Amino acid sequence: MYCIAICEDDAPQRDYEEMLIKRWAKNRKYKITLDSYATAEQFLFSFEDKSPYDLLLLDIQMGQMNGMKLAQKLRENNHDTEIIFLTGIPDYAIEGYAVGAVRYLLKPVIEADFFTLLDQLYIRREKESNSYFLLALGGNVRKIKLDEILYAEARGHYIYMKTNFGEEEWKGSFSSLQTELESKGFFLLKRGLLVNLAQVEQISRTECILADQTALPVARSKYRELNQAFITYYKTRSL
């Protein structure tokens, strides 16, 4: 699901942007969520209770808090949402790039240019999403690079994950985690134990050794399959 938000104080312009985004998503058969806000203050009030947005369209010239100040506030809090500024005045470009704006579009927005930009950002986000694991804990969502994960293990009703930088543990479904990670270069060594193939250094019939020298057990029935998965993984990465 691609999550988009619009923050625009001009109602007709906001309606027009909503219409363009919905048309873009329908034409490409993309699943999206779309939220609209009339002020920066309204956005901030609702933002913490929402899933992280992939894309935010910001009008620069709004009321008490303009779009530029809103973008600065988001970046100060380490939110990496992609930002497009929509404005009738092109003089904000240098300041906008300082807060990581991906693009400026002058009003009135030209549909073809807008759709091209949305295509580029959607494809980029899809590629990035395959490089991270999103860990949701206590209403907060944090990204963990897949390459930094060593392994994940079921411990009763909890999941334990070892990374290069520490440990994580949370209550969750291991089968759901398995479904997600097996498509991203992880292998099931035995029931309830997933290893990141990117971290594997050596494989024997009974265990595999990771880059940090951790030894993980390998089920007897999984040895050949693990070897093949390991070879295939690195052949694929080298293409």
Side-chain angles (χ1 to χ4, degrees), residues 14 39 50 56 63-64 66 84 89 91 94 117 129 160 165 184 192 195-196 198 202-203 217 224 237:
R14 188 169 62 249
T39 66
K50 296 280 188 179
L56 175 59
Q64 186 173 356
N66 64 31
I84 298 175
I89 302 174
D91 299 338
I94 294 177
L117 179 55
S129 68
Y160 168 84
F165 301 100
K184 297 179 178 180
V195 67
N196 185 355
Q202 184 179 343
I203 298 169
R224 289 185 179 179
R237 284 190 63 144

Side-chain angles (χ1 to χ4, degrees), residues 151-238:
Y151 63 92
E153 184 178 12
R155 295 183 176 177
H157 297 295
Y158 287 81
I159 296 170
Y160 168 84
M161 180 176 283
K162 178 70 180 297
T163 75
N164 287 328
F165 301 100
E167 303 171 354
E168 303 288 349
E169 193 168 22
W170 69 96
K171 193 172 185 178
S173 166
F174 188 82
S175 61
S176 296
L177 180 70
Q178 179 182 339
T179 299
E180 177 181 352
L181 293 185
E182 282 187 323
S183 65
K184 297 179 178 180
F186 285 67
F187 182 86
L188 190 70
L189 295 176
K190 67 183 188 69
R191 185 175 180 181
L193 180 60
L194 282 165
V195 67
N196 185 355
L197 292 172
Q199 294 281 354
V200 175
E201 292 286 329
Q202 184 179 343
I203 298 169
S204 74
R205 290 189 175 276
T206 58
E207 63 184 16
C208 68
I209 309 300
L210 307 188
D212 70 342
Q213 298 307 300
T214 296
L216 296 178
V218 178
R220 185 180 302 175
S221 61
K222 292 285 188 176
Y223 171 68
R224 289 185 179 179
E225 189 181 345
L226 171 60
N227 269 286
Q228 188 56 55
F230 185 68
I231 293 168
T232 302
Y233 175 78
Y234 278 97
K235 280 184 177 179
T236 303
R237 284 190 63 144
S238 65

